[in-house]
Amino acid sequence: MTGDNKNLLFAIVLSVIVLIGWNYFYGVPQMEQQRREAQQQSLQQGEAGSTAPVPSGTNGAGAPTAGTAPAVVVTRDEALAQAPRVVIDTPKIAGSFSLRGARIDDISLKAYRETVDPRSPNIVLLSPAGSPHPYYAEFGWVTGAGASVKVPDANTVWTADRDRLTPSEPVTLTFDNGEGLVFRRQIAVDDDAMFTIKDSVENTGGEPVTLHPFGLVSRHGVPATQGFYILHEGLIGVLGDDGLKEVSYSGLEKDPVLVGDMRGQVYKGVTGGFIGITDKYWAAAVVPNQDQPYDGRFSVSPGAHGPRFQSDMLGGPQTVAPGATTEVTTRLFAGAKEVAAIDHYEQALGIKRFDLLIDWGWFYFITKPLFRVIDFFFKMFGNFGVAILIVTVIIKAIFFPLANRSYVSMAKMKAVQPEMMAIRDRYADDKMKQQQALMELYKKEKINPLAGCWPILIQIPVFFALYKVLFVTIEMRHAPFFGWIRDLAAPDPTTVFNLFGLIPWDPSQVPVIGHFLMLGVWPIIMGFTMFVQMKMNPEPTDPIQKTMFAWMPVIFTFMLASFPAGLVIYWSWNNLLSVLQQGFIMRKNGVKIELWGNLRNTFSGRAKA
């Protein structure tokens, strides 16, 4: 196989990988997202704030079972007004928790809004049962098998010692069951989004009592998700030595039956970690005592208005002797998945692998360090786009020796081009001898015919790692660059098909092909830099190769138009640096730079045509 044919084969394989990858990571998820949106719309038409889990009992000291659902859906504000509440106010979050059931079910994020418009509503994370999208956390006690002790449930109204929860003012709740047990719960919150729940039981009766502490996060209905394979949205946990577990909403409904009509997964006797439900940028997670074993469970149960998803933990038995008091501490994270905050909690509280609450992906060893470097330069210059440009230069410098050898080999290939053509003419009828002569030439000149592929292969893992950073880290959300790029994590909002906004028309609304028409300025710049980079090399003599390489920049331009703008800016900048690097090496090795000649031939050929 000749060098040209090897390059052709490699280019075809690479193109197929990119096309399949694009369809896998973008095309299929887009259809899945549309399906989920249709499903969510149908749920909203009938969803009334599905069944709220009630710790009314267990089957053999299992996790809390579900209770009954409100029959009618009301607005969120109306649902909040149905029970007395304690206000929550911290620098990062605002909301309240209900004294009926002591549920933490009203959380809004002060620092984050729905769109880049500063007047848009704040992100709402948690909402009460009975509202259109119930999502809440609950803590308490359940009894063992056969016990008849009265414990607080979702309908219990607690007494609070104050009406406001702040980082400096914890709230203590009290409930007397009238049967010799006094339940107390102290709820504290820090400056960010971590709640500390201390549950205690005082036994004033004459008999010992055995109870199990629990904590849960419950979500009713299937929420709208991004639908991308590279991003997990759904139930999540690190369950001791069982490690990270990620369960999608659709996948959970296919699990084996556990108890009655509930489906899910149970992990018994694990120690350390967390369990909860995550979105792309936000999460609610229960953090049990990291030194005590517990049972973790992901489950789903049917409801009158849609499925009810739940992540919960059940602690070991706590026996309270007469005259004694027992206490357990559990935590709840309910907020934005900021890297610094998540890492701080992991270290300060000793939460096992809490950083995996952020979906760093398979390239964890590249993705997270890459984010830290970008974040370092962001703090230095105040612009994530500038930080990406600087990191690109650093990456090019790190891989310069390997890329340099590749470009030198490519330059040598160009230098011996006349000899290669002579060999092909000499052995035109004997492909075997032609190949042997070419290999001897490569060996004599110390040339690797596939060396030109390495610069492309090198940047692929970095490309996907950067894509992951831009896609999953909240720090990139709504991060502006310059000019019209107000969100590096979103595609370039401009499009050539309405003359970049001069024509008052939105091409994205065109059925079927609308998203293909969103071809912005930066994707066009990327395509141009890729075109220039390819024109640095002699054009292939084979017409098939020539046609394929001519169309490749166009294909990539349309493909990357739907990718985050930060990724397209990186690719454009990387192409420009590659052109400068390759030009420098070619000039240093005395090889003719084909750029201007190829451009002249391309456009003159088109003019003649």
Side-chain angles (χ1 to χ4, degrees):
M1 182 181 290
T2 65
D4 284 345
N5 287 334
K6 287 183 178 179
N7 288 333
L8 173 60
L9 178 61
F10 175 79
I12 292 174
V13 172
L14 182 61
S15 299
V16 170
I17 291 174
V18 171
L19 289 172
I20 293 175
W22 180 86
N23 185 64
Y24 191 66
F25 290 125
Y26 182 80
V28 172
Q30 282 292 97
M31 293 187 290
E32 177 68 14
Q33 183 177 1
Q34 292 172 2
R35 184 192 67 79
R36 286 184 178 276
E37 288 175 352
Q39 181 181 12
Q40 178 66 11
Q41 185 176 6
S42 65
L43 282 171
Q44 290 176 359
Q45 293 172 353
E47 178 66 43
S50 312
T51 305
V54 179
S56 58
T58 61
N59 185 358
T65 59
T68 58
V72 179
V73 159
V74 296
T75 67
R76 188 173 187 275
D77 289 339
E78 289 173 334
L80 291 172
Q82 290 178 354
R85 295 190 161 269
V86 173
V87 173
I88 300 172
D89 186 16
T90 81
K92 293 291 185 71
I93 61 177
S96 62
F97 67 85
S98 174
L99 289 179
R100 180 179 293 128
R103 284 177 174 169
I104 301 176
D105 58 1
D106 173 27
I107 296 293
S108 297
L109 308 182
K110 293 181 177 180
Y112 299 97
R113 298 185 178 274
E114 293 181 0
T115 69
V116 294
D117 187 346
R119 297 168 296 181
S120 63
N122 289 98
I123 293 294
V124 174
L125 179 60
L126 302 183
S127 293
S131 67
H133 306 286
Y135 185 17
Y136 52 82
E138 185 175 331
F139 301 85
W141 303 87
V142 293
T143 58
S148 59
V149 178
K150 182 180 179 181
V151 295
D153 59 25
N155 296 313
T156 299
V157 178
W158 295 70
T159 301
D161 65 343
R162 64 177 71 247
D163 61 2
R164 190 177 187 85
L165 172 63
T166 68
S168 60
E169 298 175 323
V171 173
T172 299
L173 309 179
T174 305
F175 169 71
D176 190 331
N177 75 344
E179 300 175 359
L181 295 180
V182 178
F183 297 87
R184 293 185 178 84
R185 177 173 301 165
Q186 184 190 75
I187 302 178
V189 66
D190 63 9
D191 289 335
D192 204 314
M194 185 68 79
F195 293 84
T196 300
I197 295 91
K198 293 182 179 180
D199 269 310
S200 65
V201 182
E202 180 184 1
N203 187 355
T204 61
E207 298 292 333
V209 175
T210 299
L211 302 173
H212 297 256
F214 77 87
L216 65 85
V217 175
S218 181
R219 191 171 208 168
H220 301 180
V222 181
T225 62
Q226 295 284 326
F228 285 85
Y229 174 78
I230 66 167
L231 173 69
H232 173 68
E233 295 172 280
L235 292 80
I236 188 173
V238 168
L239 297 149
D241 293 335
D242 289 322
L244 176 66
K245 301 297 177 183
E246 297 176 328
V247 184
S248 65
Y249 297 110
S250 59
L252 188 61
E253 295 180 274
K254 300 174 183 177
D255 279 327
V257 174
L258 291 177
V259 179
D261 59 356
M262 301 185 73
R263 296 178 181 272
Q265 302 175 7
V266 175
Y267 301 87
K268 290 186 173 293
V270 299
T271 302
F274 64 91
I275 190 166
I277 299 176
T278 182
D279 295 316
K280 180 177 181 179
Y281 294 122
W282 346 101
V286 173
V287 182
N289 187 310
Q290 297 296 291
D291 299 321
Q292 299 295 322
Y294 65 93
D295 294 345
R297 182 182 69 167
F298 303 113
S299 63
V300 59
S301 56
H305 309 291
R308 302 187 301 270
F309 300 95
Q310 182 170 305
S311 295
D312 57 56
M313 57 75 57
L314 184 71
Q318 302 282 325
T319 300
V320 191
T325 299
T326 189
E327 180 180 274
V328 296
T329 299
T330 313
R331 290 185 169 87
L332 169 71
F333 174 83
K337 298 190 294 185
E338 298 173 352
V339 177
I342 297 296
D343 287 349
H344 167 74
Y345 288 136
E346 178 177 347
Q347 297 169 9
L349 303 178
I351 306 174
K352 186 173 184 177
R353 299 313 307 271
F354 196 53
D355 65 327
L356 295 183
L357 190 60
I358 300 173
D359 187 6
W360 295 110
W362 295 340
F363 288 104
Y364 177 97
F365 60 95
I366 299 177
T367 310
K368 193 170 183 180
L370 184 61
F371 166 80
R372 292 194 180 282
V373 176
I374 294 175
D375 189 56
F376 170 80
F377 286 108
F378 164 72
K379 292 174 180 176
M380 182 179 297
F381 295 99
N383 188 300
F384 270 113
V386 173
I388 290 171
L389 300 183
I390 294 173
V391 170
T392 306
V393 175
I394 294 174
I395 292 172
K396 295 293 288 186
I398 291 174
F399 290 110
F400 179 81
L402 183 57
N404 184 67
R405 286 196 295 270
S406 298
Y407 286 133
V408 168
S409 185
M410 290 171 63
K412 290 181 179 179
M413 284 281 289
K414 296 180 182 69
V416 300
Q417 196 77 18
E419 295 182 55
M420 294 171 60
M421 296 300 295
I423 291 173
R424 286 169 181 161
D425 291 339
R426 189 181 313 138
Y427 301 107
D429 298 328
D430 193 336
K431 297 297 183 181
M432 181 69 70
K433 288 186 177 181
Q434 181 186 113
Q435 183 67 19
Q436 291 175 350
L438 286 172
M439 295 306 296
E440 290 176 1
L441 177 63
Y442 295 153
K443 185 176 180 181
K444 181 182 71 173
E445 299 293 339
K446 298 180 180 179
I447 295 173
N448 180 1
L450 294 180
C453 303
W454 284 112
I456 299 175
L457 292 175
I458 289 170
Q459 64 184 350
I460 288 177
V462 179
F463 175 83
F464 281 110
L466 182 59
Y467 180 30
K468 190 77 170 179
V469 169
L470 289 169
F471 197 74
V472 305
T473 56
I474 194 171
E475 288 79 1
M476 298 292 180
R477 181 181 186 265
H478 295 173
F481 185 45
F482 295 113
W484 64 94
I485 301 297
R486 301 176 63 190
D487 185 359
L488 285 166
D492 188 325
T494 62
T495 173
V496 68
F497 293 102
N498 65 7
L499 297 182
F500 308 111
L502 293 178
I503 301 176
W505 173 59
D506 184 5
S508 66
Q509 300 304 313
V510 177
V512 183
I513 64 171
H515 64 279
F516 288 108
L517 300 180
M518 296 304 294
L519 187 61
V521 175
W522 273 106
I524 292 174
I525 293 174
M526 187 283 305
F528 176 74
T529 58
M530 187 175 185
F531 172 76
V532 171
Q533 185 179 13
M534 297 184 71
K535 290 300 180 181
M536 290 284 291
N537 305 315
E539 292 187 346
T541 56
D542 184 85
I544 297 178
Q545 293 186 46
K546 187 174 182 178
T547 302
M548 186 186 67
F549 280 101
W551 280 99
M552 192 174 293
V554 178
I555 295 172
F556 271 77
T557 297
F558 277 91
M559 283 176 50
L560 268 69
S562 59
F563 278 57
L567 197 68
V568 181
I569 292 170
Y570 157 77
W571 195 268
S572 305
W573 179 236
N574 183 74
N575 286 345
L576 178 59
L577 294 177
S578 297
V579 168
L580 296 175
Q581 181 181 5
Q582 187 175 353
F584 171 77
I585 295 172
M586 291 171 67
R587 186 176 296 275
K588 182 179 178 182
N589 286 271
V591 178
K592 180 183 177 182
I593 299 177
E594 306 284 348
L595 175 61
W596 304 115
N598 286 339
L599 289 175
R600 184 169 54 253
N601 293 336
T602 298
F603 291 107
S604 63
R606 290 179 181 175
K608 291 177 182 178

